[in-house]
Amino acid sequence: MKLFNSLTRNVEEFVTNEPGKVSMYTCGPTVYHYAHIGNLRSYICEDILEKILRFSGYDVKRVMNITDVGHLASDADTGEDKMLKGAKREHKSVMEIAQFYTEAFFADCAKLNIKTPDVVEPATNCIPEFINMIEGLLEKGYAYKAGENVYFDTSKLENYYVFGNQNEDELRVGVRDDVTEDTNKRNKNDFVLWFTKSKFEDQALKWESPWGVGYPGWHIECSCIGMKHLGEKMDIHCGGVDNMFPHHTNEVAQSESFIGHKWCNYWFHVHHLNDETGKMSKSKGEFLTVSLLEEKGYDPLVYRLFALQSHYRKPLTFSFETLDQTVTTYKKLKSRIASIPEDGEADNASVKEWHDKFAEAVGNDCNTAMGLTLLYDVIKSDLNGATKRAIIADYDTVLSLDLFKAPKEDEIDEELVHFVEEKIAERSEAKKARDFAKADAIRDELKARGIIIKDTREGVEWSRE
Ligand code: AMP
Ligand code: ZN
């Protein structure tokens, strides 16, 4: 298995801490609104990554947080709390909003065949863990109190910018005009671990802490939830590419300062889904959701296929035109699979051989497009029907496109007519060539699929059994 690692900016051989086991962490949604299909691109790619690892024989434990507190409108600790904003918009409590949008998120994931991670933990469940880590950071001198908040001191690190080469001097407070408004910060990129002196008098969720009543910053949750369930060493951490800075950079800073050693070995970042105006984002107001796609008559799995056709490390531009092309691709693919005859017995050696080919193809930095190409190769191959079906079922444990599920009625008819007509023409050719055994085999094949044919003076008639 090869993966691009954002830490080294190279495609590397994936080597786990414990042979055969993968500890995997995914940044979960901020549940103040529906997930848009951009967010869901990230979750589809992360789901595929998990399934590829399982397909390759790894035992995976995957953990995801739910951000239900602490994420402010700006990643630089400024602006309104996103959860509070959602609650105000809908005249509900923060907890009601969190519950509603958490459920909506998993409902969308289910429609896209995204598996729920083994552990899902909301940030508000883990306040004692956050306090424990922040106390540790204060003790070790990596954090300081100022203006009644607790901050992480980024100047204490030799290499804060683990994913890039930003120029530190340029970013120091006061050096540039557009630097932070928070004058408590000693360095521009210092970030809040715990807020007590909130600018939001109406902050709904607050907890007792050694530093007074308050609430956690955003980044601390992923470090603590990750360690709570996966221990101090993690194999792989995922998120959208916008999470690289500051979120993941800050996660690494506080986690490694706290434990005193390397935390996570591989970082997997999914590039953005864009629309004509740029990155799709929740704060833009107008955004595309799974429900909206459904209202427009799209099967959500068409969007999954749309995402799998491109590589996760390339930005992807969404348009309904391309989605329509994917509708056709998906329909054709399914009808070709539906018309694979039910003949023979699955040949296990071939199934294994094609399994390994697929593992190698998609195991090359999640090359899902290559995986789809292999799927077409299987369909086109001269393997018997039962073997093809077994291989396709195997591939679908990763692709999760419901490849054997019948499309809607009207679509079946169109495809079925096409299939039957082709078979009848083939049978006529066989008869002309006096190959009656072949002609009978075709008749039987159609019968096995519930199609009865009758030779009449006008030609061949057919009907469903
Ligand atoms: P959020 O709910 O805002 O915390 O984001 C959830 C996930 O979606 C994170 O991993 C983000 O990095 C990711 N994300 C946000 N916008 C996009 C986008 N336009 N395309 C792909 N992923 C995104
Ligand atoms: Zn996170």
Side-chain angles (χ1 to χ4, degrees):
M1 176 99 196
K2 288 196 177 69
L3 274 178
F4 180 85
N5 184 358
S6 306
L7 272 183
T8 57
R9 291 169 281 284
N10 273 317
V11 176
E12 288 175 25
E13 191 62 43
F14 181 64
V15 183
T16 59
N17 284 306
E18 245 188 277
K21 288 195 175 170
V22 179
S23 53
M24 177 173 177
Y25 186 87
T26 304
C27 289
T30 308
V31 284
Y32 73 113
H33 218 319
Y34 291 106
H36 57 65
I37 60 172
N39 301 124
L40 291 162
R41 178 190 191 197
S42 285
Y43 293 109
I44 289 171
C45 295
E46 292 155 358
D47 177 67
I48 278 281
L49 171 64
E50 176 187 345
K51 288 173 178 169
I52 291 172
L53 291 166
R54 291 185 192 273
F55 190 88
S56 309
Y58 285 106
D59 177 7
V60 182
K61 181 173 178 188
R62 178 154 171 225
V63 177
M64 185 166 94
N65 67 305
I66 298 287
T67 301
D68 56 357
V69 69
H71 196 172
L72 305 188
S74 149
D75 286 349
D77 298 328
T78 58
E80 205 174 359
D81 179 320
K82 290 187 178 183
M83 291 303 297
L84 202 60
K85 196 171 152 187
K88 272 190 200 159
R89 183 186 67 229
E90 299 183 20
H91 308 289
K92 290 196 181 126
S93 73
V94 167
M95 282 330 264
E96 282 168 342
I97 287 287
Q99 197 185 340
F100 179 83
Y101 287 113
T102 303
E103 281 168 18
F105 172 74
F106 286 112
D108 285 345
C109 286
K111 287 176 186 162
L112 292 163
N113 283 347
I114 295 170
K115 177 183 166 293
T116 303
D118 304 292
V119 179
V120 176
E121 178 101 65
T124 49
N125 263 11
C126 301
I127 303 299
E129 283 86 351
F130 304 163
I131 291 175
N132 178 54
M133 188 178 282
I134 299 167
E135 279 186 313
L137 290 170
L138 279 163
E139 267 166 37
K140 291 176 181 168
Y142 288 106
Y144 59 92
K145 284 177 266 182
E148 294 168 61
N149 292 332
V150 184
Y151 295 86
F152 186 90
D153 187 347
T154 54
S155 70
K156 291 277 153 52
L157 303 181
E158 264 176 44
N159 179 23
Y160 166 66
Y161 301 101
V162 287
F163 300 112
N165 310 312
Q166 285 91 339
N167 181 343
E168 292 194 39
D169 281 343
E170 251 185 44
L171 296 166
R172 276 192 211 293
V173 176
V175 174
R176 264 171 35 187
D177 294 342
D178 60 337
V179 185
T180 180
E181 297 152 23
D182 186 345
T183 50
N184 294 319
K185 291 187 185 181
R186 294 179 188 162
N187 311 284
K188 195 228 171 197
N189 284 313
D190 289 0
F191 53 94
V192 177
L193 295 163
W194 188 268
F195 291 97
T196 62
K197 192 175 181 308
S198 168
K199 8 183 211 321
F200 322 116
E201 289 309 322
D202 50 354
Q203 175 66 24
L205 299 173
K206 294 179 190 182
W207 293 267
E208 290 289 343
S209 83
W211 320 286
V213 175
Y215 60 98
W218 173 34
H219 316 293
I220 197 80
E221 65 183 85
C222 292
S223 294
C224 292
I225 294 173
M227 279 185 211
K228 179 173 173 185
H229 298 286
L230 300 171
E232 290 189 358
K233 284 185 174 175
M234 188 188 280
D235 292 308
I236 187 157
H237 193 310
C238 324
V241 73
D242 59 316
N243 279 166
M244 241 161 144
F245 189 84
H247 185 49
H248 290 163
T249 303
N250 291 349
E251 281 187 41
V252 174
Q254 66 203 2
S255 297
E256 296 191 349
S257 303
F258 180 69
I259 56 183
H261 58 76
K262 185 158 184 187
W263 177 45
C264 177
N265 290 333
Y266 299 86
W267 288 81
F268 177 88
H269 289 114
V270 181
H271 284 245
H272 285 145
L273 181 79
N274 299 317
D275 54 26
E276 318 78 61
T277 59
K279 181 196 163 206
M280 198 170 283
S281 76
K282 289 185 199 180
S283 48
K284 271 202 214 157
E286 275 263 309
F287 57 81
L288 296 170
T289 59
V290 168
S291 316
L292 193 97
L293 293 186
E294 283 182 308
E295 274 166 35
K296 289 181 182 281
Y298 293 97
D299 179 342
L301 292 181
V302 166
Y303 179 66
R304 185 175 173 103
L305 176 59
F306 175 81
L308 299 189
Q309 283 170 331
S310 75
H311 196 246
Y312 77 94
R313 269 196 299 120
K314 290 209 177 98
L316 178 60
T317 304
F318 180 83
S319 76
F320 280 102
E321 260 178 358
T322 6
L323 196 65
D324 287 338
Q325 286 163 13
T326 313
V327 170
T328 313
T329 309
Y330 189 50
K331 259 200 216 170
K332 280 195 183 151
L333 175 61
K334 276 190 153 190
S335 74
R336 287 181 70 179
I337 291 169
S339 59
I340 294 172
E342 306 259 5
D343 65 341
E345 268 183 37
D347 167 27
N348 290 332
S350 303
V351 176
K352 168 87 174 63
E353 184 193 322
W354 284 84
H355 176 98
D356 294 345
K357 273 190 205 178
F358 191 80
E360 198 187 332
V362 294
N364 185 9
D365 197 22
C366 285
N367 195 336
T368 46
M370 197 56 211
L372 289 167
T373 303
L374 271 179
L375 175 65
Y376 284 102
D377 289 348
V378 173
I379 298 171
K380 280 186 285 190
S381 72
D382 49 17
L383 294 161
N384 71 26
T387 307
K388 284 187 187 179
R389 284 170 183 274
I391 299 168
I392 295 167
D394 188 34
Y395 289 11
D396 209 24
T397 61
V398 173
L399 301 171
S400 303
L401 290 167
D402 288 355
L403 292 173
F404 289 105
K405 223 186 217 172
K408 288 185 210 115
E409 262 313 314
D410 55 339
E411 292 163 21
I412 299 181
D413 282 347
E414 197 187 300
E415 299 299 338
L416 190 73
V417 170
H418 182 69
F419 169 69
V420 174
E421 278 170 2
E422 256 182 14
K423 286 286 162 192
I424 289 176
E426 225 180 288
R427 182 168 166 269
S428 306
E429 288 302 315
K431 279 175 110 180
K432 256 192 231 156
R434 307 192 72 76
D435 187 351
F436 296 109
K438 186 171 177 194
D440 285 351
I442 293 172
R443 184 199 59 209
D444 291 344
E445 189 189 332
L446 286 167
K447 183 147 193 287
R449 299 206 45 200
I451 306 294
I452 306 294
I453 52 172
K454 219 165 77 187
D455 290 302
T456 69
R457 244 183 262 162
E458 283 76 37
V460 185
E461 268 177 22
W462 66 274
S463 58
R464 285 192 206 214
E465 208 168 23

